[in-house]
Amino acid sequence: MLLKKEVTALLIGVTLLLTACAERIKPAEVVSIGGSKPTLQKQKNTLSGKSHQVQAGETLYSIAWRSGNDVNTLAALNGLVSPYRIYPGQTIRLQGANPPKKVASVPKSRTNKVETKTVTKNPQKTQSKVVANQNSKEYVKKSDEKITNIKVPSISSKVSSWRWPAKGQVISGFSSAKQGNKGIDIAGVKGQEVTASADGLIVYSGNALRGYGNLIIIKHNDDYLSAYAHNDTLLVQEQQNVRAGQVIAKMGNSGTDKTMLHFEIRFRGKSVNPARYLPKR
């Protein structure tokens, strides 16, 4: 009889323990329409503030991509010139007016004093010094121009046609909602070929953008960019020219929970529906 009471008490205790544990279980994270990452994580990766501090591995193109800005606008806003070199810890402005141009000036009082003293002592020496100073300033000016005028050639040609970047079923379409899918998701198998959707220049190839996995961004012209996310292997490097249909990566599941390609097209920094550009199939 005593044993039966002990067993009954033990069962009651186990039941109470399981009930308490069940109450503490948290609900699963809500996944966005793209199915590639939780909505909460997606919000954290959206740059919507007035500025952003550069992290290791980021480029101006990747920051423009995350903030929904056109890279040319972002460059002008921060006084940057091509090839848009930035460094970790640097603060990049995402909003506001373009910074005013700085003009170097020499205090008049100091210049007058130097000229007065040299003229009264020896006019001939003064003339040679002035010529030397002018030459040196001119040389520095020319050197600065050579540095600041280095530019990556802009791609002004139009995109004649777009190609599908991978074979497979579209498992998630484009959504214009604030937290919607900003591209399309194409299902496939690991190691499947991912190809460039049009001719262009590789402006980003890496995995510094959390939530995109191994990502490639191609600049097609001054208006259009395309992105290829969640790859397993990247086969191209930044500043490399690629042709439409060229294999640029192998499909994978980096930064997501399923093997697929997340593909986006952006027009002047804004996401557009790829279905409007890709041929019907």
Side-chain angles (χ1 to χ4, degrees), residues 117-263:
K117 288 182 180 179
T118 51
V119 168
T120 51
K121 285 183 178 179
N122 195 332
Q124 192 172 7
K125 287 185 179 180
T126 302
Q127 186 177 0
S128 61
K129 284 183 180 180
V130 171
V131 172
N133 288 336
Q134 286 177 348
N135 290 337
S136 61
K137 286 180 182 179
E138 190 174 346
Y139 174 78
V140 172
K141 185 178 180 182
K142 286 182 179 179
S143 299
D144 289 343
E145 286 176 355
K146 287 180 181 179
I147 295 172
T148 56
N149 288 336
I150 297 174
K151 294 183 179 180
V152 176
S154 64
I155 307 173
S156 57
S157 59
K158 295 181 179 180
V159 179
S160 57
S161 62
W162 296 85
R163 296 188 182 189
W164 282 86
K167 296 179 180 179
Q169 181 183 357
V170 176
I171 56 176
S172 182
F174 177 83
S175 172
S176 58
K178 186 175 181 180
Q179 294 301 326
N181 191 16
K182 299 307 178 185
I184 58 174
D185 297 333
I186 305 172
V189 295
K190 192 171 184 179
Q192 181 178 329
E193 291 184 347
V194 175
T195 59
S197 190
D199 297 351
L201 177 72
I202 305 296
V203 293
Y204 183 82
S205 179
N207 57 6
L209 279 70
R210 190 176 61 181
Y212 285 93
N214 294 324
L215 172 70
I216 290 173
I217 300 177
I218 301 179
K219 177 182 179 182
H220 301 291
N221 56 29
D222 292 336
D223 294 323
Y224 285 99
L225 298 171
S226 64
Y228 312 74
H230 305 313
N231 299 290
D232 180 63
T233 308
L234 303 179
L235 303 178
V236 291
Q237 299 178 345
E238 292 176 11
Q239 301 306 311
Q240 177 180 338
N241 289 298
V242 293
R243 305 291 295 179
Q246 180 177 336
V247 179
I248 57 175
K250 299 291 185 178
M251 192 181 293
N253 59 352
S254 59
T256 184
D257 56 356
K258 62 183 70 174
T259 299
M260 66 177 187
L261 172 68
H262 176 73
F263 176 69

Side-chain angles (χ1 to χ4, degrees), residues 43-71:
Q43 289 175 345
K44 291 181 182 178
N45 290 320
T46 300
L47 302 181
S48 57
K50 293 183 178 180
S51 63
H52 171 70
Q53 191 171 39
V54 179
Q55 305 298 315
E58 289 185 323
T59 65
L60 193 67
Y61 279 95
S62 67
I63 293 172
W65 187 269
R66 291 177 61 193
S67 61
N69 281 304
D70 176 61
V71 69

